[in-house]
Each structure stands twice: as C-alpha cells, then as structure tokens.
Amino acid sequence: MLATIAFAGEQASQPIFATLARRFDVDINILSGSVETVGDRRVGQFHIELEGAKVTQALKYLHESEFEVEVH
C-alpha cells in the first residue's frame, strides 16, 4: 500500500518507521522524502510503501498519533 506521511514539530523527532516495523511487523520502503526547518520548526513528508498483514492497523496508529496520512 502506498501512503504519504506528513509531520511537523515534535513529530519530526519520533522514530515512527522503526515503531511501525516493530509494533506491527510491516515492511516500509521509503520512496522519497524531505525534511526542512521552517523558522524553528521541522516539517516534512515521506512517500512510503507498506507491506504486511497489519498495514491497516499501522495506518490507524499513524492517524491516532496525529500524523497526516494520505493513502494512495
């Protein structure tokens, strides 16, 4: 499943991909991404591909963690 994950501020320092892989046993392929500092705040987005039996649960976790997620 393809998705775009956007984040800002404190979310930028969370190890979200490692957390998803460990907690939900999903494989994550980073297709592209960018992180920038705007003022004193880090913002960015990643285009990723998720594979595994618990992809739906992983995406739900991202939504609940207040990351912006768009599934393609």
Side-chain angles (χ1 to χ4, degrees):
M1 180 174 296
L2 298 175
T4 300
I5 299 173
F7 55 87
E10 292 181 23
Q11 292 174 324
S13 62
Q14 293 182 23
I16 194 62
F17 297 138
T19 300
L20 292 177
R22 187 175 44 253
R23 189 175 284 191
F24 300 101
D25 193 28
V26 295
D27 292 326
I28 302 163
N29 183 22
I30 300 171
L31 304 173
S32 66
S34 66
V35 179
E36 299 178 31
T37 301
V38 178
D40 61 349
R41 190 171 185 200
R42 291 175 57 188
V43 298
Q45 71 176 19
F46 285 91
H47 302 284
I48 63 170
E49 182 176 23
L50 295 160
E51 293 184 7
K54 297 182 181 177
V55 168
T56 302
Q57 292 95 324
L59 292 171
K60 181 179 177 189
Y61 175 80
L62 285 171
H63 283 290
E64 291 171 351
S65 299
E66 299 183 3
F67 284 85
E68 289 184 37
V69 180
E70 180 180 325
V71 177
H72 308 280

